[in-house]
Amino acid sequence: MKMANSLRGEVLNLYKNLLYLGREYPKGADYFKRRLRNVFLKNKDVKDPEKIKELIRRGEFVMKELEALYFLRKYRAMKQRYYSDINKTN
């Protein structure tokens, strides 16, 4: 039971982090929040610690992908903002 409690904390932390990252999701925060909630509810009855760890790893992968998406979006916006002037002068 001790293992389940420590994993529960990891799952809650993952949910909170994903919820935070979902605020800037391109399709909207409400869309992201709904999908996130559905995924977590779908897996709420999983009891096997190994399966839970696998799901946590998948969630961490999604977090990294979201961070990369946001970084790329910022990069494109900055590139467009600063390099579009150079192309117009040439």
Side-chain angles (χ1 to χ4, degrees):
M1 197 64 176
K2 184 119 176 139
M3 174 73 105
N5 286 338
S6 67
L7 290 176
R8 184 177 190 278
E10 283 185 55
V11 170
L12 286 173
N13 193 31
L14 178 66
Y15 184 80
K16 288 177 186 178
N17 288 336
L18 283 167
L19 200 56
Y20 178 79
L21 285 172
R23 295 178 311 150
E24 296 181 34
Y25 194 69
K27 289 187 176 183
D30 290 334
Y31 172 82
F32 186 86
K33 192 177 199 179
R34 228 179 5 262
R35 294 278 313 264
L36 180 65
R37 187 171 191 275
N38 289 339
V39 169
F40 272 77
L41 285 176
K42 183 180 93 175
N43 294 309
K44 75 177 184 173
D45 296 324
V46 175
K47 301 288 186 216
D48 180 31
E50 290 304 314
K51 179 68 175 169
I52 294 171
K53 287 178 184 177
E54 180 186 326
L55 291 167
I56 289 171
R57 282 192 296 272
R58 186 181 300 166
E60 289 169 347
F61 174 77
V62 169
M63 274 180 42
K64 289 177 185 173
E65 289 294 310
L66 282 172
E67 289 170 348
L69 173 74
Y70 297 154
F71 179 77
L72 186 59
R73 188 172 61 183
K74 284 182 183 180
Y75 172 77
R76 285 180 178 162
M78 287 178 59
K79 184 177 177 183
Q80 185 179 21
R81 196 173 297 142
Y82 292 109
Y83 291 107
S84 64
D85 293 339
I86 294 172
N87 292 335
K88 289 178 185 175
T89 58
N90 289 336

